[in-house]
Structure formats: C-alpha cells, structure tokens
Short mmCIF file of all heavy atoms in Angstrom, two decimals:
data_model
loop_
_atom_site.label_atom_id
_atom_site.label_comp_id
_atom_site.label_asym_id
_atom_site.label_seq_id
_atom_site.Cartn_x
_atom_site.Cartn_y
_atom_site.Cartn_z
N LEU M 1 -66.45 8.98 -23.24
CA LEU M 1 -67.36 9.37 -24.32
C LEU M 1 -67.51 8.25 -25.34
O LEU M 1 -68.62 7.99 -25.84
CB LEU M 1 -66.84 10.64 -25.02
CG LEU M 1 -67.07 11.95 -24.27
CD1 LEU M 1 -66.23 13.06 -24.90
CD2 LEU M 1 -68.55 12.33 -24.31
N LEU M 2 -66.40 7.59 -25.65
CA LEU M 2 -66.45 6.47 -26.59
C LEU M 2 -67.36 5.36 -26.06
O LEU M 2 -68.19 4.83 -26.80
CB LEU M 2 -65.03 5.95 -26.82
CG LEU M 2 -64.88 4.77 -27.79
CD1 LEU M 2 -65.37 5.14 -29.18
CD2 LEU M 2 -63.41 4.33 -27.85
N VAL M 3 -67.22 5.05 -24.79
CA VAL M 3 -68.06 4.01 -24.17
C VAL M 3 -69.52 4.46 -24.16
O VAL M 3 -70.43 3.67 -24.45
CB VAL M 3 -67.58 3.70 -22.74
CG1 VAL M 3 -68.55 2.78 -22.03
CG2 VAL M 3 -66.18 3.07 -22.78
N MET M 4 -69.77 5.73 -23.84
CA MET M 4 -71.14 6.26 -23.86
C MET M 4 -71.80 6.04 -25.22
O MET M 4 -72.97 5.64 -25.32
CB MET M 4 -71.15 7.76 -23.53
CG MET M 4 -70.89 8.11 -22.09
SD MET M 4 -70.96 9.92 -21.88
CE MET M 4 -70.38 10.10 -20.20
N GLY M 5 -71.04 6.32 -26.27
CA GLY M 5 -71.58 6.14 -27.61
C GLY M 5 -71.83 4.69 -27.94
O GLY M 5 -72.86 4.34 -28.53
N LEU M 6 -70.89 3.81 -27.57
CA LEU M 6 -71.02 2.39 -27.90
C LEU M 6 -72.17 1.72 -27.16
O LEU M 6 -72.76 0.76 -27.66
CB LEU M 6 -69.70 1.66 -27.60
CG LEU M 6 -68.51 2.04 -28.48
CD1 LEU M 6 -67.25 1.33 -28.03
CD2 LEU M 6 -68.80 1.72 -29.95
N VAL M 7 -72.50 2.22 -25.96
CA VAL M 7 -73.62 1.62 -25.21
C VAL M 7 -74.91 2.42 -25.41
O VAL M 7 -75.87 2.28 -24.66
CB VAL M 7 -73.29 1.51 -23.70
CG1 VAL M 7 -72.09 0.63 -23.47
CG2 VAL M 7 -73.07 2.89 -23.07
N ARG M 8 -74.90 3.28 -26.43
CA ARG M 8 -76.10 4.05 -26.82
C ARG M 8 -76.58 4.98 -25.73
O ARG M 8 -77.78 5.04 -25.42
CB ARG M 8 -77.23 3.11 -27.24
CG ARG M 8 -76.88 2.19 -28.38
CD ARG M 8 -78.11 1.40 -28.77
NE ARG M 8 -77.78 0.32 -29.67
CZ ARG M 8 -78.66 -0.54 -30.17
NH1 ARG M 8 -79.92 -0.44 -29.81
NH2 ARG M 8 -78.28 -1.49 -30.98
N PHE M 9 -75.66 5.71 -25.15
CA PHE M 9 -76.00 6.63 -24.08
C PHE M 9 -76.46 7.97 -24.63
O PHE M 9 -76.90 8.84 -23.88
CB PHE M 9 -74.78 6.82 -23.16
CG PHE M 9 -75.11 7.32 -21.79
CD1 PHE M 9 -75.83 6.52 -20.91
CD2 PHE M 9 -74.70 8.57 -21.36
CE1 PHE M 9 -76.13 6.97 -19.64
CE2 PHE M 9 -75.00 9.03 -20.09
CZ PHE M 9 -75.71 8.23 -19.23
N GLY M 10 -76.39 8.14 -25.94
CA GLY M 10 -76.71 9.43 -26.55
C GLY M 10 -78.13 9.89 -26.25
O GLY M 10 -78.36 11.08 -26.00
N ALA M 11 -79.08 8.95 -26.28
CA ALA M 11 -80.47 9.34 -26.03
C ALA M 11 -80.70 9.76 -24.59
O ALA M 11 -81.54 10.61 -24.31
CB ALA M 11 -81.39 8.18 -26.40
N VAL M 12 -79.94 9.18 -23.67
CA VAL M 12 -80.13 9.49 -22.24
C VAL M 12 -79.74 10.93 -21.95
O VAL M 12 -80.38 11.62 -21.15
CB VAL M 12 -79.31 8.51 -21.37
CG1 VAL M 12 -79.45 8.85 -19.90
CG2 VAL M 12 -79.75 7.08 -21.63
N ILE M 13 -78.67 11.40 -22.58
CA ILE M 13 -78.19 12.77 -22.36
C ILE M 13 -79.30 13.78 -22.67
O ILE M 13 -79.41 14.84 -22.03
CB ILE M 13 -76.96 13.05 -23.25
CG1 ILE M 13 -75.79 12.16 -22.84
CG2 ILE M 13 -76.54 14.51 -23.16
CD1 ILE M 13 -75.24 12.43 -21.48
N LYS M 14 -80.17 13.44 -23.62
CA LYS M 14 -81.22 14.37 -24.03
C LYS M 14 -82.25 14.60 -22.93
O LYS M 14 -83.04 15.54 -23.00
CB LYS M 14 -81.93 13.85 -25.28
CG LYS M 14 -81.01 13.72 -26.49
CD LYS M 14 -81.76 13.09 -27.66
CE LYS M 14 -80.83 12.87 -28.86
NZ LYS M 14 -81.52 12.19 -29.98
N TYR M 15 -82.27 13.74 -21.92
CA TYR M 15 -83.27 13.84 -20.87
C TYR M 15 -82.88 14.80 -19.76
O TYR M 15 -83.61 14.94 -18.78
CB TYR M 15 -83.55 12.45 -20.29
CG TYR M 15 -84.17 11.49 -21.28
CD1 TYR M 15 -83.72 10.19 -21.40
CD2 TYR M 15 -85.20 11.91 -22.12
CE1 TYR M 15 -84.27 9.32 -22.32
CE2 TYR M 15 -85.76 11.05 -23.05
CZ TYR M 15 -85.30 9.75 -23.14
OH TYR M 15 -85.85 8.90 -24.04
N ILE M 16 -81.72 15.44 -19.85
CA ILE M 16 -81.38 16.45 -18.85
C ILE M 16 -82.31 17.65 -19.04
O ILE M 16 -82.38 18.21 -20.13
CB ILE M 16 -79.91 16.87 -18.98
CG1 ILE M 16 -79.00 15.67 -18.67
CG2 ILE M 16 -79.59 18.03 -18.04
CD1 ILE M 16 -77.53 15.96 -18.78
N PRO M 17 -83.05 18.05 -18.00
CA PRO M 17 -84.09 19.08 -18.16
C PRO M 17 -83.54 20.44 -18.57
O PRO M 17 -82.40 20.79 -18.24
CB PRO M 17 -84.74 19.15 -16.77
CG PRO M 17 -84.31 17.91 -16.07
CD PRO M 17 -82.97 17.54 -16.64
N ALA M 18 -84.37 21.20 -19.27
CA ALA M 18 -83.97 22.53 -19.75
C ALA M 18 -83.55 23.47 -18.62
O ALA M 18 -82.56 24.20 -18.77
CB ALA M 18 -85.10 23.15 -20.57
N PRO M 19 -84.25 23.52 -17.47
CA PRO M 19 -83.80 24.43 -16.40
C PRO M 19 -82.38 24.12 -15.91
O PRO M 19 -81.64 25.04 -15.55
CB PRO M 19 -84.82 24.18 -15.28
CG PRO M 19 -86.05 23.70 -15.97
CD PRO M 19 -85.54 22.88 -17.12
N VAL M 20 -81.99 22.84 -15.92
CA VAL M 20 -80.64 22.48 -15.51
C VAL M 20 -79.63 22.96 -16.55
O VAL M 20 -78.60 23.55 -16.21
CB VAL M 20 -80.53 20.96 -15.30
CG1 VAL M 20 -79.08 20.56 -14.95
CG2 VAL M 20 -81.47 20.50 -14.20
N ILE M 21 -79.92 22.73 -17.83
CA ILE M 21 -78.99 23.12 -18.90
C ILE M 21 -78.84 24.63 -18.94
O ILE M 21 -77.73 25.17 -19.00
CB ILE M 21 -79.49 22.58 -20.26
CG1 ILE M 21 -79.40 21.06 -20.29
CG2 ILE M 21 -78.67 23.18 -21.40
CD1 ILE M 21 -79.96 20.44 -21.55
N VAL M 22 -79.96 25.35 -18.91
CA VAL M 22 -79.90 26.83 -18.94
C VAL M 22 -79.21 27.35 -17.69
O VAL M 22 -78.40 28.29 -17.76
CB VAL M 22 -81.32 27.42 -19.07
CG1 VAL M 22 -81.28 28.95 -18.94
CG2 VAL M 22 -81.95 27.03 -20.40
N GLY M 23 -79.48 26.74 -16.53
CA GLY M 23 -78.87 27.19 -15.29
C GLY M 23 -77.36 27.06 -15.28
O GLY M 23 -76.66 28.03 -14.97
N PHE M 24 -76.85 25.88 -15.66
CA PHE M 24 -75.38 25.73 -15.60
C PHE M 24 -74.70 26.46 -16.75
O PHE M 24 -73.58 26.95 -16.60
CB PHE M 24 -74.97 24.26 -15.51
CG PHE M 24 -74.94 23.47 -16.78
CD1 PHE M 24 -73.99 23.71 -17.77
CD2 PHE M 24 -75.84 22.43 -16.99
CE1 PHE M 24 -73.94 22.95 -18.92
CE2 PHE M 24 -75.80 21.68 -18.14
CZ PHE M 24 -74.85 21.94 -19.12
N THR M 25 -75.36 26.58 -17.90
CA THR M 25 -74.77 27.32 -19.01
C THR M 25 -74.64 28.79 -18.66
O THR M 25 -73.60 29.42 -18.91
CB THR M 25 -75.61 27.16 -20.30
OG1 THR M 25 -75.75 25.77 -20.61
CG2 THR M 25 -74.97 27.87 -21.47
N SER M 26 -75.68 29.37 -18.09
CA SER M 26 -75.63 30.78 -17.69
C SER M 26 -74.62 30.99 -16.56
O SER M 26 -73.91 32.01 -16.52
CB SER M 26 -77.02 31.26 -17.23
OG SER M 26 -77.95 31.16 -18.28
N GLY M 27 -74.54 30.01 -15.66
CA GLY M 27 -73.55 30.10 -14.58
C GLY M 27 -72.13 30.10 -15.10
O GLY M 27 -71.27 30.87 -14.65
#
C-alpha cells in the first residue's frame, strides 16, 4: 500500500468498474 501511494496508484484504483465493486461487496 505504501508503494502504491508513492507511485501514485491511487487514481488507478478508481477505475475498477461499479459492477465489479458491487458484485464482490455483496458477495
């Protein structure tokens, strides 16, 4: 997580589509 933040990976995480997030969260 520390490396993700230092290499500016934060914006990339936002690109995970809503159907994937809702699907695994509900699961």
Side-chain angles (χ1 to χ4, degrees):
L1 283 167
L2 180 60
V3 172
M4 286 181 188
L6 293 176
V7 299
R8 301 185 191 179
F9 201 66
V12 178
I13 296 293
K14 298 176 184 177
Y15 295 135
I16 295 180
V20 177
I21 293 176
V22 174
F24 81 69
T25 303
S26 298

